[in-house]
Amino acid sequence: MAILGIDEVGRGPLAGPLVIGAVILPDEKPEWVEDLKDSKKLTARKREVLSEIILKEALACGLGWVSAAELDDVGISAALRLATKRAVKLIQRLHVPFSQIIIDGKVNFLSQTPLEKYVTTVVKADDLIKEVSAASIVAKVARDKYMHDTALRYSGYDFEKNVGYGTAKHIAAVKESGITPEHRKSFEPIKSMIGFERPSFEKNVVKNTALIGKKGETAVCDFLKSNGHEIVAKNFKTYYYEIDIVSLCDGKIYFTEVKTRKDNSYGGGLSAVDKKKLQKMRFAAECFLKYHYLEFGDLDPLLAVASVDGEYNVEDWFPLD
């Protein structure tokens, strides 16, 4: 079967997107394939002609784009992987079979994916393997056109000529007029000029964990309501404590701690409810009842725990008292 060639364009510029090209050529190579080589070794006009032919006659073509803002958020290594996955996903939607993936360079951008085993990395593949040359050409032409269009929106940065690279005129324009939304704030010298700091991993983890927790709590609320509970409070917080879910059922009030796993791997969930956690849960329940004495003061608190899997299905819910 055919080879899927992959190459990147736009790794080093100070502005504009990163683009990954992915191409599958016909098994019986037409004559124009002989003209394919590293896009940098072709004139702009020759690249445009070949790109038009490739897009028309190749068995499959895909372009994976990562914006400057995305690149700033995740870093260049993750951006290369993301763009590659996007390009390959477009190829897969065309249902064109391939038996091998060749990526230009030394890094397998599809590592830790189901396609990892099909990948071969080849240094200078964009000049040696026709499919990779084709990927290099279509990605280069597409990105250059994007930067030419960008030059119409942001004049003075010379994007139509430098396509985002840090030429003297480009840097001078940044110093005079500042950056545009197309600039990569995590790249030097832009980074030092504006004092950019990438969002910390820890902050992203906290944000993602909170989102996972909220989805788990929603799943448990739906589960409890389907079993006759009335939800009194969800994610109730004060300075001293918080309660995931408070519910009423059959004249009893339940304080439920929700444990949601990030994935479906073994462990986690209920194992996190130890003696110390139980003490905090009981204290929280007692405080809640004191503040809501007129409504629920005559009810005894019942502690409960719910376990939610990585797909937000409620595995179990049970009272601890």
Side-chain angles (χ1 to χ4, degrees), residues 224-278:
L224 291 175
K225 285 188 285 187
S226 68
N227 284 274
H229 285 245
E230 175 189 354
I231 305 302
V232 175
K234 177 185 174 184
N235 200 232
F236 185 88
K237 292 184 179 181
T238 74
Y239 182 83
Y240 296 101
Y241 66 88
E242 68 177 78
I243 301 165
D244 290 336
I245 300 171
V246 183
S247 63
L248 295 174
C249 185
D250 296 330
K252 300 177 181 177
I253 187 166
Y254 295 88
F255 296 83
T256 299
E257 176 76 9
V258 179
K259 293 300 179 183
T260 305
R261 288 183 287 164
K262 295 181 180 179
D263 52 42
N264 285 325
S265 58
Y266 180 78
L270 302 181
S271 62
V273 182
D274 55 14
K275 183 177 180 180
K276 186 176 182 180
K277 182 61 178 178
L278 283 173

Side-chain angles (χ1 to χ4, degrees), residues 63-272:
L63 291 174
W65 299 73
V66 169
S67 69
E70 287 181 300
L71 192 155
D72 284 335
D73 282 343
V74 303
I76 185 64
S77 296
L80 286 163
R81 295 177 184 276
L82 179 58
T84 303
K85 290 176 182 177
R86 288 174 175 173
V88 172
K89 183 177 290 187
L90 293 176
I91 296 293
Q92 291 176 315
R93 288 176 180 171
L94 298 173
H95 302 290
V96 177
F98 55 87
S99 59
Q100 185 180 12
I101 302 172
I102 297 180
I103 299 177
D104 179 57
K106 298 180 179 180
V107 181
N108 180 359
F109 301 133
L110 293 171
S111 62
Q112 299 181 338
T113 74
L115 293 175
E116 178 179 21
K117 60 185 177 181
Y118 299 104
V119 174
T120 301
T121 58
V122 178
V123 176
K124 298 190 181 299
D126 55 358
D127 208 29
L128 300 172
I129 310 296
K130 296 301 184 182
E131 287 81 359
V132 182
S133 300
S136 170
I137 291 167
V138 296
K140 172 66 174 170
V141 171
R143 189 182 185 280
D144 283 358
K145 183 179 185 306
Y146 180 94
M147 295 308 298
H148 290 173
D149 293 342
T150 300
L152 300 177
R153 290 184 287 133
Y154 305 107
S155 61
Y157 295 89
D158 211 25
F159 286 147
E160 69 277 13
K161 295 180 180 179
N162 61 48
V163 294
Y165 282 88
T167 62
K169 186 174 181 179
H170 183 180
I171 298 299
V174 171
K175 291 179 179 179
E176 180 178 350
S177 304
I179 64 171
T180 73
E182 294 291 343
H183 279 94
R184 301 176 181 180
K185 298 188 289 292
S186 58
F187 276 39
E188 293 290 5
I190 304 296
K191 179 178 178 180
S192 294
M193 292 168 69
I194 64 173
F196 172 79
E197 291 186 15
R198 178 173 291 118
S200 70
F201 175 75
E202 291 78 10
K203 290 180 181 179
N204 288 335
V205 168
V206 170
K207 182 178 179 180
N208 291 338
T209 301
L211 180 60
I212 291 170
K214 287 182 179 179
K215 288 183 176 181
E217 291 165 9
T218 298
V220 174
C221 282
D222 292 340
F223 170 86
L224 291 175
K225 285 188 285 187
S226 68
N227 284 274
H229 285 245
E230 175 189 354
I231 305 302
V232 175
K234 177 185 174 184
N235 200 232
F236 185 88
K237 292 184 179 181
T238 74
Y239 182 83
Y240 296 101
Y241 66 88
E242 68 177 78
I243 301 165
D244 290 336
I245 300 171
V246 183
S247 63
L248 295 174
C249 185
D250 296 330
K252 300 177 181 177
I253 187 166
Y254 295 88
F255 296 83
T256 299
E257 176 76 9
V258 179
K259 293 300 179 183
T260 305
R261 288 183 287 164
K262 295 181 180 179
D263 52 42
N264 285 325
S265 58
Y266 180 78
L270 302 181
S271 62

